[in-house]
Amino acid sequence: MPHQEYNVFKDLESEGLMVIENEEGLPWSVYVGAAGMPGKTAYFAWKEYSKAKNGEVAFVTSGGGSVGSLVIQLAKLDGLKVIASAGSDEKVAFMKSI
């Protein structure tokens, strides 16, 4: 895809693109994190390198950050027990909430 101010595509799928519907009414920043660089980093790193199996334990450093918090959720979805670290009480509380 060339760099432009904007692009017009007739067929999004052939370009590897999709329209994100905001049916939940969440702030668009939520989608930028999960569908953007942090989400892709967490997803592809977890799927490519973790080799973890259901019932095992995953340790996630910086679990209160954008990438780490997504890795925690991916690990839980795969049936792992998650232990994580963070640099503040607020981030620890956030990790416990997810």
Side-chain angles (χ1 to χ4, degrees):
M1 176 169 49
H3 176 73
Q4 304 280 339
E5 289 294 318
Y6 64 91
N7 289 294
V8 177
F9 297 104
K10 292 181 181 179
D11 179 22
L12 294 178
E13 283 187 30
S14 67
E15 298 293 332
L17 303 172
M18 62 182 275
V19 175
I20 298 175
E21 301 291 337
N22 189 355
E23 296 173 3
E24 295 80 15
L26 297 170
W28 285 106
S29 60
V30 171
Y31 292 97
V32 173
M37 183 278 299
K40 288 182 178 182
T41 300
Y43 180 82
F44 288 111
W46 179 255
K47 295 300 181 184
E48 181 72 24
Y49 299 109
S50 73
K51 310 292 188 248
K53 296 176 182 60
N54 188 339
E56 293 183 336
V57 177
F59 176 71
V60 180
T61 59
S62 301
S66 57
V67 176
S69 63
L70 290 166
V71 170
I72 289 171
Q73 294 174 73
L74 291 168
K76 286 181 171 184
L77 284 172
D78 283 349
L80 279 76
K81 176 181 178 180
V82 177
I83 300 172
S85 66
S88 71
D89 291 339
E90 293 82 14
K91 289 184 178 184
V92 170
F94 167 69
M95 290 187 306
K96 288 179 178 181
S97 75
I98 57 173

